[in-house]
Amino acid sequence: AGYLVRTAATKGNTLQLTGDFNSTTPFEVIGAPKSAKKLTINGQPVAIETSRSTGSWNGLVRYQRPFFNIPTLENLQWKSTDALPEIQTSYDDSAWPSADNKTSVNTYRNLTTPTSLYSSDYGFHYGYLIYRGHFVATGEETTITIYTQGRNAYGTSAWLNGVDLGSNAGNATVGDSNSTHTLGKLSKGKPYVLTMLMDNLGYDGNWVIGSDSMKNPNGILHYEFAGRKQSDITWKLTGNLGGEDYVDKTRGPLNEGGLFPERQGWHQQKPPTNSWKASKPTTGISKAGVVFYTAELNLNIPKGWDVPLSFTFKNTKQNEKFRAQLYVNGYQFGKYINNIGPQVDFSVPQGILNYQGSNTVALTLWAQQPSGAKLEGLSLTAGTPVLTALKNIELVPMPKYAKRAGAY
């Protein structure tokens, strides 16, 4: 019986078992070696009785739930900063890759734009994407319609010279869509920049043999610029810093996308928060945009206990349209989409979480509606503690924040 038996060995006249227990547990050992006269479980002697009829050993492992405190996340010292400075006209994107490839290496779908805007053509395959389209107005512009693809449940938001143009909040069964944005009256001769943020949720799987649907590109597939030619816009784009030559070789390529704090590495431990303002995700943002939050989380869970821990988002009204990404010690451990869901619990194992010390928790909050967004609640919830043989869990490698060369 028991939750899990890990190992069995003999030493002298002692049978040594290790295992995990989530309650007081009676057990039976069948076929103990004849040389064994005593029993230890997780290094502790355990009394046994031998059955006269079968020779089996019977005993009891006593379980007493440990006492420990789980910090209230809302009470942490949260700091925040703007995660999308790219919507400002003053933002300098000169270091960004130019989307100027006149052909695509992707032959699955023919180009219908002057240059490729497929993110994969520029080495960006995962995480948030940001496009910036530059043009000088003639005053004849009225609308722009952008056809995007990012797979089921993806979403977009767009701004023109910092003015919110609206968002596509996404649908669980829709992986591509058209969004038409009204531009208003533009001033002739004035430069404008269209900034679009997109949640790229990866590539298709091949459901049908030979269909090659996994080659379907993501990003901007087509656009119509009412009153202007397509070529009147020049585009730049970014995803994760370095693209295929990603920076964080420890945590791997799926860990970060193209948001400014991600490109800087601020989701890692000990980011430079001295000049950031005090604000928490349950206060949120009052307009469409993205805010980055981070806080230190200290844990003191007794060794020898495996305590399942999850970060839990409190259910918010489904008509509230926002997205969040959760990072723990630099590792991305969840994407939460409030108007789609349904997952609200994101489990993080010991080894990523330091159960006996300091942890850095980070969160991006992307409001996809003009009124902004906030979390109704974010908590750290504990499951049933498990008495375990694993006493000293080593932390995985987790490099701390360091200023990144070439980060833009």
Side-chain angles (χ1 to χ4, degrees):
Y3 180 76
L4 170 71
V5 175
R6 292 185 177 274
T7 64
T10 56
K11 185 176 182 180
N13 67 349
T14 303
L15 174 63
Q16 300 174 326
L17 301 180
T18 66
D20 292 358
F21 302 86
N22 57 6
S23 64
T24 295
T25 304
F27 65 86
E28 181 180 13
V29 178
I30 302 171
K34 291 183 178 180
S35 62
K37 307 300 179 184
K38 300 178 182 179
L39 175 68
T40 64
I41 296 180
N42 294 349
Q44 300 299 315
V46 178
I48 54 173
E49 293 183 359
T50 303
S51 169
R52 290 184 178 181
S53 60
T54 65
S56 295
W57 292 358
N58 296 281
L60 189 71
V61 174
R62 297 193 179 278
Y63 172 100
Q64 185 172 356
R65 189 184 183 100
F67 174 80
F68 53 87
N69 287 317
I70 296 296
T72 301
L73 297 187
E74 192 166 346
N75 293 339
L76 301 181
Q77 300 300 307
W78 291 93
K79 303 291 285 291
S80 72
T81 190
D82 180 18
L84 199 63
E86 294 88 351
I87 67 175
Q88 305 301 327
T89 55
S90 58
Y91 178 82
D92 179 10
D93 63 13
S94 59
W96 286 31
S98 295
D100 54 8
N101 292 354
K102 296 187 182 301
T103 59
S104 174
V105 298
N106 188 320
T107 58
Y108 189 82
R109 181 187 177 93
N110 293 328
L111 291 181
T112 60
T113 52
T115 61
S116 172
L117 297 176
Y118 301 164
S119 65
S120 54
D121 278 333
Y122 304 94
F124 303 121
H125 302 289
Y126 32 78
Y128 288 177
L129 302 170
I130 306 177
Y131 288 84
R132 298 190 97 225
H134 295 263
F135 65 93
V136 176
T138 64
E140 302 298 320
E141 302 85 359
T142 56
T143 62
I144 186 167
T145 298
I146 306 178
Y147 177 41
T148 55
Q149 182 163 264
R151 300 311 189 271
N152 290 4
Y154 89 110
T156 63
S157 294
W159 293 262
L160 183 67
N161 280 18
V163 177
D164 177 27
L165 296 180
S167 297
N168 166 24
N171 186 296
T173 61
V174 176
D176 61 297
S177 60
N178 275 309
S179 295
T180 298
H181 302 292
T182 301
L183 303 178
K185 182 63 177 175
L186 305 188
S187 300
K188 183 179 181 180
K190 182 178 177 180
Y192 286 86
V193 59
L194 173 72
T195 303
M196 190 193 76
L197 173 63
M198 174 178 159
D199 190 359
N200 170 16
L201 293 175
Y203 297 117
D204 281 340
N206 276 354
W207 289 95
V208 179
I209 294 173
S211 69
D212 281 349
S213 61
M214 66 180 182
K215 297 178 181 178
N216 238 328
N218 283 344
I220 296 176
L221 305 188
H222 185 73
Y223 62 93
E224 296 289 343
F225 194 17
R228 301 291 297 275
K229 302 192 300 289
Q230 283 183 320
S231 58
D232 288 336
I233 301 181
T234 58
W235 292 93
K236 293 205 165 192
L237 84 160
T238 192
N240 65 295
L241 185 67
E244 291 173 351
D245 187 20
Y246 52 92
V247 176
D248 192 344
K249 299 296 192 293
T250 300
R251 296 178 178 89
L254 300 179
N255 197 64
E256 58 190 59
L259 282 178
F260 188 82
E262 293 179 295
R263 303 195 311 263
Q264 306 305 313
W266 291 344
H267 55 291
Q268 298 177 345
Q269 292 172 294
K270 308 295 183 182
T273 61
N274 288 342
S275 63
W276 299 5
K277 70 176 183 178
S279 181
K280 50 193 175 182
T282 50
T283 300
I285 180 175
S286 60
K287 59 183 179 181
V290 189
V291 175
F292 177 79
Y293 299 91
T294 187
E296 289 299 303
L297 167 66
N298 290 302
L299 295 175
N300 186 18
I301 295 175
K303 289 186 177 182
W305 291 91
D306 181 5
V307 182
L309 293 179
S310 296
F311 289 81
T312 301
F313 290 79
K314 185 177 180 180
N315 278 321
T316 305
K317 293 179 181 178
Q318 197 169 23
N319 61 354
E320 297 291 318
K321 297 175 175 59
F322 65 86
R323 295 168 182 252
Q325 292 184 143
L326 172 69
Y327 288 90
V328 179
N329 291 331
Y331 287 87
Q332 186 180 136
F333 257 87
K335 282 177 174 280
Y336 175 75
I337 306 175
N338 184 69
N339 57 297
I340 296 176
Q343 185 176 359
V344 296
D345 293 310
F346 297 88
S347 299
V348 182
Q350 186 178 8
I352 298 290
L353 271 171
N354 183 353
Y355 276 26
Q356 290 89 34
S358 176
N359 300 272
T360 298
V361 179
L363 189 83
T364 61
L365 179 64
W366 173 4
Q368 292 185 281
Q369 54 194 18
S371 58
K374 66 178 182 179
L375 299 186
E376 289 298 320
L378 179 65
S379 59
L380 189 62
T381 56
T384 299
V386 176
L387 180 63
T388 179
L390 306 178
K391 304 295 184 182
N392 296 300
I393 306 298
E394 292 186 11
L395 298 178
V396 301
M398 49 181 71
K400 295 181 180 179
Y401 165 77
K403 189 172 182 179
R404 292 179 168 181
Y408 49 76

